[in-house]
């Protein structure tokens, strides 16, 4: 973990100076330390891709660069300030780590969308839905469960997805970073920061760390993953980035809206609840079977 600052006043000052550029349209590529196209570009078809061996097919984009990350075969996570909207609702999912590996397109259900409300107000986490379920070619991701305290994610190594500055749909750069929570002041905390309200996680950019990342404007809504039991699990989506002023100099920080911090609330929204009639039908069948067994025994 890289130590930062213990002053919330300095942090707020840095926010005012540097953050808030994320809502703009696709324009810049994810900054990656010691960038290598064969390592950091998913769709180059290189065997050296940093994310080789993991399934990235559940992360898609619209033609104007709005990101979606599937959490079921219908529902996805994006961000409130840059989610798919009517007119830009076609989402493309590449099935392999190469442009030649095929893709599938789906349509976003623009009649459905929920921006998650937290104790601190409206968050930047946006839950959307497709008009039809994805095929078995496209994966969905579990939301990383931090157990009882999101602060347990302190120091975790993460994969960071972002824009690569290519043409429509072909943007899929991947780097790494460390979730640097710094005692809750510059990371996980119940607080309001620019467009981030509620639980969030901060990563600090270090140009000396191989493939370290710093969000740019086109990265809004792209996911951050942690590998858990050999598979990718969603931990956050990109919300803001900028420079904070510290006594020793400036630091470039990226802030995710921490999806893991609201795992139960999100699962409650996307998990269908049985219709009352169906429940009654099931209970009635159970009673019938119980009575039938009793009659059989008494006979």
């Amino acid at each position: 973990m890289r130590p930062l600052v213990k002053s919330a006043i300095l942090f707020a000052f840095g926010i005012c100076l540097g953050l808030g550029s994320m809502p703009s349209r696709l324009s810049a590529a994810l900054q990656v330390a010691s960038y290598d196209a064969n390592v950091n570009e998913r769709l180059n078809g290189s065997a050296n891709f940093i994310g080789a061996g993991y399934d990235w097919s559940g992360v898609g984009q619209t033609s104007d660069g709005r990101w979606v990350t599937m959490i079921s075969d219908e529902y996805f996570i994006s961000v409130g300030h840059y989610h798919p909207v009517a007119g830009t609702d076609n989402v493309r999912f590449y099935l392999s780590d190469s442009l030649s590996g095929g893709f599938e397109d789906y349509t976003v259900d623009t009649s459905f969308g929920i921006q998650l409300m937290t104790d601190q107000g409206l968050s930047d986490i946006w839950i959307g839905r497709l008009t039809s379920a994805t095929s078995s070619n496209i994966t969905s991701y579990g939301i990383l469960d931090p157990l009882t305290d999101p602060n347990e994610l302190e120091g975790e190594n993460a994969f960071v997805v972002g824009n690569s500055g290519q043409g429509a749909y072909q943007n899929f750069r991947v780097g790494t970073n460390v979730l640097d929570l710094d005692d809750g002041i510059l990371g996980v905390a119940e607080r309001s920061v620019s467009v981030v309200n509620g639980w969030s996680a901060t990563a600090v950019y270090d140009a000396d760390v191989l493939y370290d990342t710093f969000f740019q404007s086109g990265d809004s809504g792209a996911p951050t993953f942690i590998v858990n039991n050999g598979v990718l699990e969603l931990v956050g989506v990109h919300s803001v980035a900028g420079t904070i002023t510290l006594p020793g100099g400036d630091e470039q920080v990226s802030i995710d809206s921490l999806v893991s911090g609201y795992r139960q609330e999100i699962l409650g929204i996307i998990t269908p609840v049985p219709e009352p009639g169906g429940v009654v039908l099931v209970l009635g069948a159970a009673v019938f079977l119980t009575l039938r067994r009793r009659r059989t025994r008494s006979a």
Side-chain angles (χ1 to χ4, degrees):
M1 180 180 69
R2 290 158 287 194
L4 295 178
V5 66
K6 303 298 180 181
S7 169
I9 295 177
L10 284 176
F11 178 51
F13 183 64
I15 290 293
C16 293
L17 287 179
L19 300 183
S21 62
M22 297 299 285
S24 60
R25 283 177 60 105
L26 180 69
S27 59
L30 176 71
Q31 186 170 329
V32 178
S34 301
Y35 166 78
D36 182 335
N38 286 326
V39 173
N40 301 114
E41 297 298 339
R42 178 201 170 201
L43 297 174
N44 272 15
S46 171
N48 295 323
F49 173 49
I50 193 173
Y54 300 105
D55 193 341
W56 303 90
S57 62
V59 181
Q61 272 193 309
T62 61
S63 60
D64 66 343
R66 298 171 193 259
W67 292 88
V68 304
T69 301
M70 300 305 297
I71 55 173
S72 78
D73 60 1
E74 291 183 271
Y75 292 91
F76 62 85
I77 296 289
S78 188
V79 286
H81 74 266
Y82 202 60
H83 60 80
V85 295
T88 61
D89 58 356
N90 188 60
V91 182
R92 178 163 296 177
F93 299 93
Y94 281 93
L95 307 182
S96 71
D97 298 337
S98 171
L99 286 173
S100 62
F103 61 84
E104 293 181 5
D105 287 346
Y106 290 86
T107 303
V108 172
D109 182 354
T110 53
S111 69
F112 176 91
I114 296 176
Q115 195 162 348
L116 195 66
M117 180 66 71
T118 77
D119 292 341
Q120 299 297 308
L122 199 62
S123 78
D124 200 28
I125 297 172
W126 196 84
I127 304 166
R129 185 174 65 193
L130 302 178
T131 56
S132 62
T134 56
S135 76
S136 59
N137 296 324
I138 298 173
T139 193
S140 59
Y141 303 99
I143 299 172
L144 186 73
D145 188 353
L147 302 177
T148 58
D149 184 1
N151 284 285
E152 294 174 8
L153 299 176
E154 168 71 46
E156 290 282 353
N157 295 309
F159 278 122
V160 177
V161 176
N163 171 40
S164 61
Q166 303 299 315
Y169 300 121
Q170 300 176 16
N171 293 283
F172 209 119
R173 183 170 292 180
V174 181
T176 61
N177 217 309
V178 175
L179 300 185
D180 196 332
L181 308 184
D182 198 54
D183 298 331
I185 292 177
L186 283 177
V188 168
E190 283 280 2
R191 62 150 197 274
S192 175
V193 176
S194 187
V195 297
V196 182
N197 291 315
W199 290 102
S200 58
T202 298
V204 183
Y205 178 66
D206 188 338
D208 295 325
V209 176
L210 189 65
Y211 309 135
D212 218 43
T213 53
F214 177 48
F215 301 165
Q216 302 298 306
S217 60
D219 301 326
S220 293
T224 293
F225 292 107
I226 287 178
V227 176
N228 187 30
N229 293 322
V231 298
L232 299 174
E233 290 194 351
L234 180 64
V235 63
V237 285
H238 311 341
S239 285
V240 289
T243 302
I244 59 172
T245 302
L246 306 177
D250 292 342
E251 292 277 9
Q252 292 177 306
V253 298
S254 303
I255 299 181
D256 270 352
S257 290
L258 192 68
V259 178
S260 284
Y262 298 98
R263 181 176 182 273
Q264 293 304 319
E265 291 90 334
I266 294 170
L267 293 180
I269 291 171
I270 70 170
T271 303
V273 178
E275 293 293 331
V279 174
V280 171
L281 180 62
V282 170
L283 289 176
V287 171
F288 172 78
L289 289 174
T290 301
L291 291 175
R292 184 176 181 183
R293 289 193 188 102
R294 287 179 180 174
R295 289 170 182 167
T296 302
R297 287 172 188 166
S298 61

